[in-house]
Amino acid sequence: MKTWLKKASAIVLTFALAIGLISVPAHAAATPLFTIEGENATLSSDLQVATSIYGTPKPGYTGTGFVWMQNSGTITFNVTVPTTGMYSITTRFMQELSPDGRLQNLTVNGVNKGSFMLPYTTTWSIFDFGYQKLTAGVNTIQLKAGWGFAYFDSFTVDVANLDPLNPLPTLTDSQATPETQLLMNYLTEAYGDHIISGQQEIYGGGNDGNAELEFDWIHNLTGKYPAIRGFDFMNYNPLYGWEDGTTNRVIDWVNTRGGIATASWHINVPKNFTTYTLGQFVDWKDATYKPTDTNFNTANAVVPGTKEYQYLQLAIQDLAEQLQILQDNGVPIMLRPFHEAEGNGGANGEGAWFWWAKAGATVYKQLWNLLYTELTQTYGLHNIIWIYNSYTYSTSPQWYPGDAKVDIVGYDKYNTVYNRYDGLSGVPNEDAITSIFYQLVNMTGGKKMVAMSENDTVPSVQNLTEEKSGWLYFCPWYGEHLMSTAFNYPATLTTLYQSNYVITLDELPNLKVSNPTQSSTITPTSATFDKKTASQADIAVTMTLNGNTLNGIKNSTTSLVSGTDYTVSGTTVTIKKSYLAAQSVGTTNLTFDFSAGTDRVLAVTIVDMTSTVNNSTISPTSATFDKKTASQADIAVMLTLNGNTLSGIKNGSASLVSGTDYTVSGTTVTIKKSYLAAQAVGTTNLTFDFSAGTDPVLAVSIVDTTVVLPGALTVSGTAGNAQATLTWTASTGATAYKVERATGSGSYTAIASNLTGLTYTDMTAVNGTLYNYRVVASNTAGSTTSNVISLTPTGTTPAGSFKVQMYSGNTTSSINTIAPRVKIVNTGTTALDLSTVKLRYYYTIDDNKTQAYWYDWSSVGSSNLTGAFVTMSTPKTGADTYFEIGFTSGAGTLAPGASAEIQIRIARTDWSNYTQTGDYSFSPAGSSYVDWTKMTGYANGALAWGIEP
């Protein structure tokens, strides 16, 4: 029997392809682990259980109704899970207000898991919140309204049906060199069982020429070197190209040090491509990879005969020369060209960070295909494993070049400063981002491996293993992204590098073709076993031996007994249920010991549903009680006990008195009207306490129709340029007003709600358009509708007409960086001279310290923007300071209907935190542009948009 070694150092590979079946994932039982009707969850007081909306029934819901969430509210429920791991959370919902989606926020055990955009649907549909880690025992899940306005019927939690992570090692290039195929074989062997360590080197002579700085730092810290080294071929280019030794360092890393190499290609273009002559020397300061800093036409780069196409061919030739040197030296390379294409999202290049994505997804895929064809066919390079950089936006699948030209999917994790949801800042984010991982796995149906091709914080080994987050490798960017404690805790890196889960340089096998051994495989590699007697079943495993033999099976260091714990018949191994029933709840890893090659692991999730309690239910779960004397009536509730008994009924912490407040007759409980009449108007939640299982809640809506309807009201109004102002008389007894605008189909939609004043200005009106408005007054008894008023904004739209849209890039309440994302849209009929425009973002400075700002990106060019911090002479609620954005003449003009985007960061020079909560211009929810009147805009010094604080 061969020695049972630590991990990958024992892996011996073959050049020949391993042929085998893709195993089927272990599915959860047909019945989900947990389902709860929305009306049975804990609802905040501003939510209501409904069966219709504004008198229109919404049939098809389950249970007794659904939760109607408007612009606020929380839905909370607890779920008990048997083991710590990944679970899916879904909701059955309807959202018929906004075609653009409505944002909601998910929290698990008090930790914000992010914002989710519920799509538009007029039928009951399923929305998936992705895979989330739950801990063994009770977990609290909460959904909070972001933009709200959706209906929630039920929620389901189930064991995550994770992909088995066993793609075949088939390269897209059928002529791949032996070394390249051998590397691909190894990567698929390690994938899902281990993560390979990596590190990006600095390029272009950085670190004063010391390319080993990060690698020596890792070794001094952990005693290990990373297995993968990241390189960049950016300095081999037709402009300022120079030999910085990258290719020689790749050869040394692979052939001398025994490592694996990956490389990106920050290929530059001239900033002024119009005046550029092909072959001309261009200083690096006059070259760029940013789409806003060049007039290079990306769409032309795929059109033969154009100057852009010819330039790209020159760049590909420079790259091919270096790759040919690697191929001549037997060095395979994992190449990641045209990386991070989609940037901030969008199919048309609107979120692009690099010139190669400027023309959108269609042209990008043509660029990828062109590069792939040129390198593999024209230049005969077959030492490449092709890595495509993806994201998980709704438009991301449109950028994917296709399975035929992609070997590995990469994702660049930067979520320590941006994109984190835990409310922290200034500290590493060790999240394994497992939900993103499996979204990328699912994008190719599990056919491609998924790697963390760049990152800031390396996820902790605990998060990686508990969440079964099977990233192929990690690769931190150089400098502070690795070595600053703001991005990586040294203790975490040490634990990670020294763990059995992480493969380091010293643990790589011999990846030269002189080693011909082929590994065996097993199918499946994961399964679930239920210790409940009626559910117990053997687990059958199929082996593909590839010339090897099975020596035995081990659980850690303990060998299973052949014939008792398992049996072997041909290539089928049967793990006996008697053995599995004796294992503890959790994950049991059974290692198949083969005579040669890699030992395979069957991960068995052991659960025990024996103690599962059948919950009691009540019907109905919601009711209405009218305090008006003539309308008062008892409420009868039917019990389905399912073997339990009723212990009592509570209103909050107060117990109802049996025989007085309620009576029990068989399975019928009667809530007495005398008790209900004593409750306040609103929702009274009565919890039925049963001897076991979940305690259901009866939500009683207490109303009092003795309250008089709101009195009559009359609305009048005036119309100006791009706005309409409504004024109305007070309605007797009204507690709130809302303004409605006709939709053109005979119905009205609310444009402002919960108003307590008697005036409202519609800033979204358009000149020359007739609008019909009305006002609705309401109180607990009902509502009264005003007369309809018709207003047409008059006058000629001034040349300075525009609107401002905004969302906050950082939505954490306490954070060291304010990050408005701003868009100005020309709503006028003539070009808008941006040099006449000023925009203001209002906030409280909190502490009188020096501030700085950065324009990260703008569609008009960051160099064409000005900025200034202004202290307000008279502080207002939510604002004592504003940041003013200005434009130079170089920003040009905006055509009618056109827009310009600006991405800003504002911070104190000592990086202390701001408190954004309550800041006038701050938007606490949202990740896409919306009209934002809390930012003001001025044309030639006159207010043209927004409301000043």
Side-chain angles (χ1 to χ4, degrees), residues 425-485:
S425 62
V427 295
N429 185 352
E430 297 177 348
D431 195 336
I433 56 172
T434 305
S435 182
I436 289 175
F437 171 77
Y438 282 104
Q439 287 180 64
L440 295 168
V441 170
N442 293 336
M443 186 180 74
T444 68
K447 294 189 293 293
K448 304 296 180 181
M449 294 179 286
V450 176
M452 195 176 291
S453 43
E454 280 184 33
N455 56 280
D456 45 18
T457 307
V458 184
S460 69
V461 70
Q462 179 180 358
N463 286 339
L464 288 166
T465 53
E466 283 185 349
E467 300 176 23
K468 297 181 175 60
S469 189
W471 298 97
L472 174 62
Y473 66 84
F474 61 79
C475 191
W477 206 239
Y478 55 80
E480 66 173 359
H481 290 94
L482 168 72
M483 297 182 290
S484 168
T485 55

Side-chain angles (χ1 to χ4, degrees), residues 49-170:
V49 177
T51 58
S52 63
I53 302 297
Y54 295 123
T56 301
K58 302 296 175 183
Y61 55 82
T62 57
T64 60
F66 54 86
V67 178
W68 181 16
M69 179 182 284
Q70 298 185 56
N71 58 359
S72 62
T74 57
I75 303 172
T76 308
F77 59 90
N78 292 333
V79 57
T80 301
V81 299
T83 59
T84 298
M86 300 306 292
Y87 293 81
S88 65
I89 302 175
T90 59
T91 184
R92 190 169 186 262
F93 81 107
M94 190 187 300
Q95 190 278 108
E96 53 183 357
L97 175 65
S98 174
D100 296 327
R102 303 299 296 179
L103 205 67
Q104 320 296 337
N105 302 302
L106 183 72
T107 298
V108 177
N109 294 327
V111 178
N112 186 357
K113 294 300 180 180
S115 300
F116 297 84
M117 190 73 76
L118 265 62
Y120 179 81
T121 173
T122 58
T123 60
W124 293 109
S125 305
I126 300 298
F127 182 82
D128 191 346
F129 292 101
Y131 299 141
Q132 305 293 340
K133 182 169 74 173
L134 303 181
T135 56
V138 179
N139 296 261
T140 299
I141 298 171
Q142 184 178 85
L143 187 69
K144 181 179 181 180
W147 299 343
F149 288 97
Y151 324 140
F152 296 94
D153 182 31
S154 63
F155 295 86
T156 297
V157 178
D158 205 356
V159 177
N161 185 15
L162 303 179
D163 190 280
L165 304 182
N166 57 354
L168 295 174
T170 306

Side-chain angles (χ1 to χ4, degrees), residues 821-835:
R821 301 291 184 258
V822 181
K823 180 187 287 187
I824 177 173
V825 183
N826 184 356
T827 58
T829 57
T830 60
L832 175 64
D833 182 357
L834 288 174
S835 67

Side-chain angles (χ1 to χ4, degrees), residues 251-266:
I251 295 171
D252 176 70
W253 182 257
V254 176
N255 286 350
T256 304
R257 303 180 69 175
I260 299 169
T262 184
S264 53
W265 190 38
H266 277 93

